[in-house]
Amino acid sequence: MIQLPQDFMIRMQDMLGEAYPAFLRSYEEEKVQALRVNALKGTREEFLKKMPVVNLREVPWEENGFYYNESLDFMPGKHPFHEAGVYYIQEPSAMAPATYLDAQPGECVLDLCAAPGGKTTQIASSMNNQGILVCNEIHPTRAKILSENVERMGIRNAIVTNETPQRLVEAFGAYFDRVLVDAPCSGEGMFRKNEAACNEWSLENVQICAKRQNEILDCADRLLRPGGRLVYATCTFAPAENEGSIMRFLERHPEYQVLDRYKYNGMSAGVPLWAYYDTDCRDSRNINTTGNYCAIERTIRLFPHLIQGEGHFLAVLQKPGKKLSESREFPANGLQKGIPIKEVKEFLQFQKETLKIDLTAEGRESLLNFGNQLYLMPREMPSINGLKVQRAGLHLGTFKKNRFEPSHALALALKKEQVQRTMELEKDKIAKDYLSGMTLNYCGENGWYLITFQGYSIGWGKLTKEVMKNHYPKGLRKI
């Protein structure tokens, strides 16, 4: 049994009443595990045909989400499919916020607190690489992890930034069609999954988180265009960070509407009275049971004793107004200017010799240089001048002494039919040899090869005289 903080248990008993014993028993149960199929790599039907196990169960609120039981036959984190970005291992409740965000291809979408990248990659999957996806993380180390997960999942249209919300407001203004705020919180909902979170919890930290959430939500408002959708989510039970955060936001921004959305089996409505809780007990002063009080009932709670997943909260909010035009509106700092195509002769030569597609076909000034690194920008990418950026679209590769070397990101973003030469790793052991960095033997035409496993791209190899030099990144190799 996890040793839950005493103050936490007192508050939860006060909140849940008769349901508290069932809530407490959920901590004696094993946490559930889930993965989400990456639609950018292929359909869920294709994935299910290739899966080495059959004991998968659907996550109700995510069409590509599946519960699994780890076994010696299937350890998802160590399977070649994981390295190929075929799926993302994600806590099932954490899949709900992006589902309710409902991002569409061609939109401008912001994931404001994005690391490690589960929700970002879920949003990207629904956008099908069309539109602009800005995913931001304020902490540099976590932003790097976010960027790595964006790469692994083969996402082309993502800009990964390492900024404060306030800096993004200055750079973009009210530019985004949809904004997800997966807010930094006290993490109470993760106690069963991460016992260390219990030791870090305190009533004081709940207050600190609630105050920070106020600031983040106000920035999100300034980043959202008229008529846009804002989804607020936490992985905590604390009312001050959930119903309380939404109530305070509505008091500051009464023009917003909390949308009433379908609740899947086991999901609960938010409790208006909880919006008036202090951090540790109910504060019954100044309770107004009209207006925003009723709107709180349209928020959504996920409790571990009612659903198969950890504790979460979310609210779907609509900003009033209409988009000014059908065309995409310019961000505050305008659009990013690309480089002339004539400056990338080495890349064009590589593309001609290796690919069957023209990556620059949609825009002749869609390329961007960071030193000797070449990126393919999303169409009409907003200016990133002055921002700390980890990734600006699809990393194509590196210029090296009059030649071009393709990036791992490019390999993971390509499908085998888009490349002239491919090498299929026919057995799990050969795939693991490749992932460990081993050189392979192969008979074929010299040049760059897209290495695939069960049809999914997994990296690059370069063949010279029947020796396939391994270009799987050294930092990712499985020793």
Side-chain angles (χ1 to χ4, degrees):
M1 179 67 181
I2 297 171
Q3 293 299 310
L4 298 170
Q6 187 67 26
D7 288 334
F8 167 76
M9 291 195 297
I10 291 172
R11 191 198 65 214
M12 293 306 300
Q13 185 171 17
D14 186 41
M15 288 170 59
L16 296 177
E18 293 180 356
Y20 178 69
F23 171 78
L24 209 57
R25 283 194 298 273
S26 71
Y27 287 91
E28 301 173 7
E29 301 170 359
E30 287 292 326
K31 64 183 180 183
V32 293
Q33 298 172 302
L35 58 82
R36 178 177 42 76
V37 179
N38 180 11
L40 298 179
K41 295 284 184 173
T43 66
R44 54 177 271 161
E45 289 73 25
E46 292 169 345
F47 167 76
L48 291 172
K49 288 179 182 178
K50 298 175 181 179
M51 275 296 292
V53 292
V54 294
N55 59 337
L56 296 176
R57 297 171 292 113
E58 294 183 350
V59 175
W61 45 86
E62 168 50 58
E63 63 178 350
N64 290 315
F66 295 93
Y67 297 101
Y68 69 86
N69 296 319
E70 190 169 286
S71 66
L72 292 176
D73 295 327
F74 181 57
M75 292 184 284
K78 296 183 178 181
H79 195 277
F81 280 171
H82 181 268
E83 307 311 312
V86 178
Y87 52 70
Y88 191 101
I89 298 172
Q90 188 175 16
E91 198 282 312
S93 294
M95 299 180 189
T99 296
Y100 284 95
L101 187 71
D102 194 26
Q104 299 297 310
E107 292 183 328
C108 302
V109 181
L110 170 64
D111 187 354
L112 189 53
C113 315
K119 297 174 182 66
T120 281
T121 57
Q122 187 178 357
I123 293 167
S125 186
S126 66
M127 293 179 72
N128 195 29
N129 278 324
Q130 300 172 46
I132 303 288
L133 173 57
V134 176
C135 31
N136 180 70
E137 174 56 45
I138 192 171
H139 299 289
T141 302
R142 287 170 55 81
K144 186 175 184 292
I145 296 170
L146 168 64
S147 183
E148 291 170 352
N149 279 321
V150 165
E151 174 177 284
R152 182 169 62 86
M153 303 301 277
I155 299 167
R156 298 188 181 195
N157 65 324
I159 305 164
V160 180
T161 57
N162 171 213
E163 286 291 355
T164 65
Q166 291 81 4
R167 283 286 294 122
L168 295 184
V169 171
E170 295 170 6
F172 297 116
Y175 171 67
F176 295 97
D177 299 297
R178 299 175 197 256
V179 175
L180 173 63
V181 175
D182 181 27
C185 67
S186 57
E188 296 174 2
M190 295 293 109
F191 284 173
R192 184 171 64 169
K193 182 182 177 184
N194 179 15
E195 194 169 348
C198 291
N199 301 324
E200 299 170 1
W201 182 89
S202 69
L203 293 174
E204 291 76 17
N205 190 43
V206 170
Q207 292 177 317
I208 292 169
C209 290
K211 181 179 178 181
R212 183 166 54 212
Q213 289 153 6
N214 293 342
E215 298 168 355
I216 294 173
L217 277 169
D218 285 345
C219 287
D221 164 61
R222 295 170 65 191
L223 287 158
L224 187 66
R225 69 161 178 83
R229 174 176 293 190
L230 168 62
V231 171
Y232 174 78
T234 72
C235 58
T236 188
F237 302 114
E241 302 178 66
N242 294 337
E243 289 91 346
S245 281
I246 296 302
M247 179 70 82
R248 295 190 301 273
F249 179 77
L250 293 175
E251 288 171 351
R252 298 190 304 273
H253 304 276
E255 69 277 13
Y256 272 80
Q257 178 185 4
V258 180
L259 299 184
D260 192 6
R261 286 295 175 260
Y262 176 78
K263 296 177 179 65
Y264 293 85
N265 187 36
M267 290 184 177
S268 308
V271 179
L273 185 61
W274 292 352
Y276 295 90
Y277 265 56
D278 201 346
T279 54
D280 57 346
C281 62
R282 186 185 301 112
D283 180 358
S284 60
R285 294 168 297 174
N286 302 319
I287 294 180
N288 183 349
T289 57
T290 61
N292 295 338
Y293 185 90
C294 298
I296 298 300
E297 292 181 334
R298 297 194 283 272
T299 64
I300 299 172
R301 274 188 175 263
L302 289 77
F303 283 106
H305 63 291
L306 299 176
I307 54 106
Q308 287 194 303
E310 305 306 318
H312 272 68
F313 171 89
L314 67 93
V316 184
L317 299 110
Q318 187 81 24
K319 190 173 186 176
K322 294 182 179 179
K323 203 170 182 178
L324 298 179
S325 66
E326 291 302 316
S327 61
R328 183 175 295 159
E329 293 153 24
F330 287 104
N333 289 343
L335 300 181
Q336 183 68 39
K337 184 175 176 57
I339 61 174
I341 198 76
K342 64 182 180 181
E343 294 185 10
V344 293
K345 293 178 181 178
E346 297 89 346
F347 165 73
L348 295 176
Q349 185 65 30
F350 161 81
Q351 180 173 254
K352 180 180 178 181
E353 295 174 353
T354 310
L355 306 183
K356 293 181 180 179
I357 59 173
D358 181 2
L359 290 168
T360 66
E362 290 188 357
R364 304 304 289 179
E365 290 193 354
S366 58
L367 300 174
L368 185 66
N369 253 353
F370 280 119
N372 62 347
Q373 306 298 316
L374 184 66
Y375 283 80
L376 178 67
M377 298 187 293
R379 288 189 63 188
E380 298 185 0
M381 188 176 91
S383 172
I384 55 174
N385 293 335
L387 293 176
K388 289 180 283 187
V389 177
Q390 291 270 354
R391 188 171 296 270
L394 176 61
H395 183 208
L396 296 176
T398 308
F399 293 104
K400 293 186 174 182
K401 296 181 181 179
N402 299 319
R403 64 183 175 87
F404 182 81
E405 185 169 298
S407 72
H408 187 55
L410 177 58
L412 293 175
L414 290 169
K415 292 182 168 59
K416 62 180 182 178
E417 59 268 20
Q418 297 174 322
V419 181
Q420 294 189 26
R421 295 176 292 272
T422 63
M423 175 185 176
E424 172 71 15
L425 305 174
E426 296 179 351
K427 297 180 180 179
D428 285 17
K429 183 183 183 306
I430 298 176
K432 290 176 181 177
D433 287 344
Y434 172 78
L435 293 173
S436 68
M438 288 183 60
T439 297
L440 305 174
N441 296 321
Y442 191 74
C443 182
E445 178 186 6
N446 287 346
W448 287 100
Y449 281 70
L450 184 68
I451 309 300
T452 61
F453 176 72
Q454 295 200 31
Y456 297 114
S457 60
I458 202 168
W460 289 111
K462 192 172 186 181
L463 188 67
T464 304
K465 297 180 180 179
E466 300 186 2
V467 176
M468 184 69 74
K469 184 179 179 182
N470 194 324
H471 280 263
Y472 194 74
K474 292 181 180 179
L476 299 177
R477 291 178 182 178
K478 309 298 179 183
I479 307 293

